[in-house]
């Protein structure tokens, strides 16, 4: 295999690989602004200039392909002096407004200044002042003063989004990024331009000035907005989520995330912390002691009319595989229920890139479990008819996520159906439920979702739950115990062991140790 030497380190490379990629693979840092591994090479920022033996001039590492026997130096005095000069040039017209810039704390210009420059500006002429607040689209604001014309955003729109909504206007130090007249930057993937902007030129109208990034805690997770299962990072502070940003996974979403998915973060900040009880004397649900609420659920389920066919069950397609397994086992083994209705979102918009029409993140995983545990799907209309004609007198519901929640709630309220609701947020069902038990929302859960391509991916808790909320399977196991059932599922480890033993599709997967990029089901 051919090799080159970078800073004295022998590195093998594939044909066509560039110096910057080979260096990156081996944790050798070469500074850059305009390079992105998934975009074409512009080589216009000149920060990645390196010294190649036998070359009379420095060469851009992002553009220069590795050659067998090549010797590269990225840390010589000549390279450092050039990087410092390039940086000084970039800063000629750039305002030093880090204290008010929304990108402070994650700005390459700021980082590189501290690393390579740290010199006083020798600029004696007045800076070229460009527009500071140009709204390019519904989610993007452009500050031309900070722009270093790396053109990453322009290339992203042309090469990844496939729609040329940005361009370079004017010339020389008057150049600006802008939209074409009457064509706002409103593409469904527009917020990726904020992610890749190396300075604070492009900022999100949704996130800007909400938080300083050094106050946020970041954890890996999975987007809940559709069945694609894009990998994300959750940025939160004290349990309040401020943004989702893409996490790289070549098999799922590469480096990108759609605007719909990343803006879904706000829905997860409406969480239920305490149990609710509703009775004929309390037309609105009122906060209850959690033990009292649990006992109310037990009392309802102990009644003679809480057995099939008078007992119905609904399960959200946002539930994890562990939650779904325990819910179905409880309904099947303890109560004899063999038909489960689904709380689900209707089909939405999809495209040829990431967005899928199915807006239910764990449909595939739950359908596998339903099928292998031998229960069937209760059609939505069939369920509504059964509630209306009073055939179903008690309904136990796990989750609140679904477009059909409201019609089920109205139908159940009209028929005086008892609803036991386990949910992480209030919604139509909790407003009419006899008892509502608070469960952990998906950002706080340890669990598994399976995406539309049958890739099992792990949710990891970003923060602990509030108040009395706990995993739904804890409530269910507790209720089963109170009813005297021998329901031997007392921990997440036991649940996962049983899933791998009983669900063939999961037989070869270690559910407790799924890789960060997920694993395909057999």
């Amino acid at each position: 295999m051919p090799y080159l030497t970078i800073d004295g380190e022998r590195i093998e490379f594939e044909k066509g690989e560039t110096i910057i990629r080979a260096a990156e693979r081996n944790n050798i840092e070469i500074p850059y602004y305009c390079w992105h591994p998934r975009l074409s090479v512009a080589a216009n920022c000149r920060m990645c200039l390196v010294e190649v033996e036998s070359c009379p001039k420095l060469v851009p590492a992002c553009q220069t392909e590795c050659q067998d026997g090549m010797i590269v130096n990225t840390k010589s005095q000549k390279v450092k002096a050039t990087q410092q000069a390039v940086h000084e040039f970039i800063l000629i017209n750039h305002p030093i407004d880090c204290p008010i810039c929304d990108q402070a704390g994650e700005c390459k210009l700021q980082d590189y200044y501290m690393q390579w420059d740290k010199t006083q500006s020798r600029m004696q002429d007045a800076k070229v002042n460009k527009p500071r607040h140009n709204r390019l689209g519904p989610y993007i604001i452009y500050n031309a003063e900070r722009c270093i014309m790396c053109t990453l955003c322009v290339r992203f729109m042309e090469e990844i989004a496939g729609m040329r909504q940005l361009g370079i206007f004017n010339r020389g130090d008057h150049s600006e990024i802008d939209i074409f007249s009457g064509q706002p930057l409103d593409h469904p993937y527009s917020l990726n331009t904020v992610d890749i902007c190396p300075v604070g030129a492009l900022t999100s109208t949704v996130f800007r000035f909400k938080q300083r990034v050094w106050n946020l805690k970041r954890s890996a997770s999975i987007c809940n907005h559709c069945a694609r299962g894009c990998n994300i990072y959750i940025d939160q502070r004290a349990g309040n989520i401020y943004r989702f940003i893409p996490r790289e996974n070549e098999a799922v979403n590469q480096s990108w995330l759609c605007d719909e998915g990343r803006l879904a973060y706000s829905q997860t900040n409406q969480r239920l912390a305490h149990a609710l009880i509703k009775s004929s004397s309390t037309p609105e649900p009122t906060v209850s002691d959690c033990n009292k609420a649990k006992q109310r659920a037990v009392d309802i389920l102990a009644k003679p009319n809480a057995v099939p066919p008078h007992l119905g069950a609904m399960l959200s397609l946002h539930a994890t595989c562990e939650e779904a397994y325990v819910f179905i086992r409880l309904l099947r083994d303890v109560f004899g229920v063999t038909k489960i209705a689904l709380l689900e979102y209707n089909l939405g918009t999809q495209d040829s890139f990431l967005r899928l029409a199915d807006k239910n993140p764990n449909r595939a995983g739950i359908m596998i479990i339903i099928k292998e545990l031998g229960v069937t799907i209760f059609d939505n209309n069939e369920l509504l008819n059964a509630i209306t004609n009073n055939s179903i007198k008690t309904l136990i519901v796990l989750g609140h996520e679904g477009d059909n929640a409201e019609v089920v709630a109205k139908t159940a309220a009209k028929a005086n159906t008892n609803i036991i609701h386990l949910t992480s947020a209030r919604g139509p069902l909790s407003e009419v439920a006899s008892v509502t038990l608070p469960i952990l929302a998906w950002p706080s859960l340890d669990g598994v979702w399976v995406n539309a391509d049958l890739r099992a991916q792990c949710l990891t808790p970003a923060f602990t739950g509030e108040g009395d909320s706990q995993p739904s399977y804890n409530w269910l196991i507790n209720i089963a115990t109170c009813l005297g059932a021998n329901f031997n599922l007392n921990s997440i480890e036991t649940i996962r062991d049983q899933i791998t033993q009983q669900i063939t599709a999961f037989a070869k997967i270690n559910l407790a140790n799924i890789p960060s990029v997920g694993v395909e089901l057999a």
Side-chain angles (χ1 to χ4, degrees):
M1 198 168 187
Y3 74 91
L4 79 165
T5 303
I6 303 179
D7 296 339
E9 185 175 342
R10 178 186 168 114
I11 295 171
E12 294 183 343
F13 64 90
E14 299 283 350
K15 185 179 179 183
E17 191 173 30
T18 57
I19 293 174
I20 201 168
R21 281 292 264 176
E24 185 189 47
R25 278 194 298 104
N26 289 272
N27 300 317
I28 298 173
E29 184 181 6
I30 297 176
Y32 63 87
Y33 290 114
C34 71
W35 178 72
H36 192 286
R38 300 189 191 280
L39 298 175
S40 61
V41 173
N44 60 13
C45 78
R46 318 307 284 180
M47 275 297 288
C48 69
L49 290 173
V50 295
E51 195 170 13
V52 174
E53 193 173 277
S54 78
C55 285
K57 295 181 179 179
L58 300 184
V59 298
C62 67
Q63 193 178 43
T64 307
E65 292 187 4
C66 301
Q67 302 294 327
D68 194 20
M70 177 183 274
I71 298 176
V72 179
N73 195 330
T74 74
K75 295 180 173 55
S76 68
Q77 187 59 40
K78 186 177 181 181
V79 170
K80 292 299 174 189
T82 302
Q83 289 170 346
Q84 187 171 9
V86 168
H87 205 259
E88 183 181 13
F89 175 74
I90 290 173
L91 282 171
I92 282 180
N93 286 311
H94 194 290
I96 307 300
D97 61 347
C98 304
I100 62 168
C101 178
D102 203 52
Q103 191 91 345
E106 51 185 7
C107 172
K108 278 193 170 185
L109 196 70
Q110 192 178 43
D111 293 343
Y112 289 163
Y113 175 78
M114 298 305 295
Q115 192 169 352
W116 275 281
D117 199 327
K118 291 183 181 179
T119 55
Q120 291 290 323
S121 173
R122 290 180 289 166
M123 180 74 170
Q124 295 182 349
D125 297 328
K127 287 179 181 284
V128 176
N129 294 317
K130 297 180 183 178
R132 293 181 176 179
H133 192 279
N134 184 11
R135 187 151 187 154
L136 300 183
Y139 304 125
I140 307 292
I141 287 178
Y142 176 61
N143 185 329
E145 274 194 338
R146 298 176 187 152
C147 183
I148 61 172
M149 300 304 295
C150 70
T151 70
L152 279 171
C153 54
V154 177
R155 282 177 280 150
F156 170 83
M157 292 308 300
E158 291 181 4
E159 298 166 14
I160 304 296
M163 187 175 289
R164 195 180 179 208
Q165 290 190 319
L166 293 176
I168 304 170
F169 298 83
N170 299 327
R171 305 184 66 181
D173 58 6
H174 286 75
S175 297
E176 294 176 25
I177 303 294
D178 208 342
I179 57 174
F180 300 95
S181 180
Q183 301 176 47
L185 178 57
D186 58 358
H187 192 274
Y189 294 87
S190 67
L191 280 167
N192 289 283
T193 59
V194 175
D195 294 336
I196 60 178
C197 180
V199 295
L202 294 176
T203 51
S204 159
T205 59
V206 181
F207 177 72
R208 58 191 264 126
F209 306 133
K210 296 291 192 309
Q211 277 291 321
R212 284 301 199 187
V213 293
W214 52 80
N215 290 327
L216 298 175
K217 291 184 179 177
R218 177 167 295 179
S219 54
S221 193
I222 309 297
C223 178
N224 71 326
H225 193 64
C226 80
R228 175 72 67 189
C230 290
N231 290 209
I232 61 169
Y233 287 110
I234 294 177
D235 280 356
Q236 58 87 20
R237 184 181 186 186
N240 197 29
I241 298 175
Y242 286 90
R243 64 178 180 180
F244 294 159
I245 58 174
R247 176 166 60 93
E248 186 164 339
N249 186 336
E250 186 65 37
V252 181
N253 56 300
Q254 298 179 340
S255 306
W256 319 113
L257 188 64
C258 74
D259 291 359
E260 287 177 13
R262 76 173 71 218
L263 296 177
Y265 79 92
S266 59
Q267 299 166 7
T268 59
N269 285 328
Q270 307 298 320
R271 297 188 293 273
L272 182 64
H274 300 287
L276 303 172
I277 280 181
K278 187 170 182 291
S279 67
S280 55
S281 61
T282 58
E284 300 294 327
T286 56
V287 173
S288 167
D289 173 79
C290 63
N291 290 322
K292 182 180 174 184
K294 183 190 71 177
Q295 188 56 49
R296 175 108 184 252
V298 171
D299 293 343
I300 292 172
L301 290 170
K303 291 179 180 176
N305 61 5
V307 295
H310 303 305
L311 177 62
M314 289 196 83
L315 173 62
S316 167
L317 293 177
H318 275 61
T320 64
C321 290
E322 292 88 343
E323 289 181 306
Y325 178 80
V326 174
F327 184 74
I328 296 170
R329 282 283 312 277
L330 176 81
L331 270 296
R332 187 194 70 175
D333 298 352
V334 177
F335 297 101
V337 173
T338 57
K339 297 181 79 172
I340 304 283
L342 300 178
L343 260 176
E344 57 185 322
Y345 286 112
N346 300 329
L347 294 181
T349 305
Q350 75 170 21
D351 56 36
S352 58
F353 188 26
L354 297 180
R355 296 187 302 165
L356 293 180
D358 186 358
K359 303 305 177 186
N360 304 283
N362 195 27
R363 180 186 293 277
I366 289 177
M367 296 307 291
I368 288 171
I369 293 170
I370 284 177
K371 182 180 179 183
E372 296 212 24
L373 288 182
V375 295
T376 55
I377 302 297
F378 212 151
D379 177 77
N380 198 45
N381 289 330
E382 193 181 357
L383 174 74
L384 294 175
N385 288 334
I387 294 173
T388 301
N389 64 28
N390 232 4
S391 172
I392 286 182
K393 300 178 186 298
T394 301
L395 184 65
I396 181 168
V397 183
L398 173 53
H400 65 282
E401 305 92 347
D403 288 327
N404 52 344
E406 187 167 356
V407 65
V408 172
K410 287 181 178 177
T411 306
K414 196 173 180 181
N416 290 321
T417 306
N418 271 322
I419 295 180
I420 299 168
H421 192 200
L422 294 94
T423 180
S424 61
R426 294 182 74 148
L429 286 162
S430 62
E431 295 307 303
V432 301
S434 303
V435 57
T436 299
L437 301 173
I439 65 175
L440 294 181
W442 64 268
S444 297
L445 268 180
D446 180 8
V448 172
W449 280 344
V450 180
N451 75 359
D453 296 322
L454 298 184
R455 174 173 287 269
Q457 302 187 101
C458 199
L459 293 171
T460 52
F463 47 86
T464 57
E466 302 97 335
D468 298 323
S469 60
Q470 53 182 295
S472 64
Y473 41 79
N474 283 357
W475 286 116
L476 296 172
I477 293 167
N478 239 311
I479 289 171
T481 303
C482 292
L483 288 168
N486 182 20
F487 198 56
N488 189 25
L489 291 170
N490 52 18
S491 67
I492 184 75
E493 292 79 17
T494 310
I495 295 167
R496 285 173 169 163
D497 284 346
Q498 291 209 13
I499 289 176
T500 52
Q501 290 171 21
Q502 296 188 16
I503 309 296
T504 309
F506 293 98
K508 296 181 180 178
I509 294 178
N510 182 352
L511 292 174
N513 193 25
I514 290 178
S516 62
V517 294
V519 60
E520 290 184 6
L521 297 185

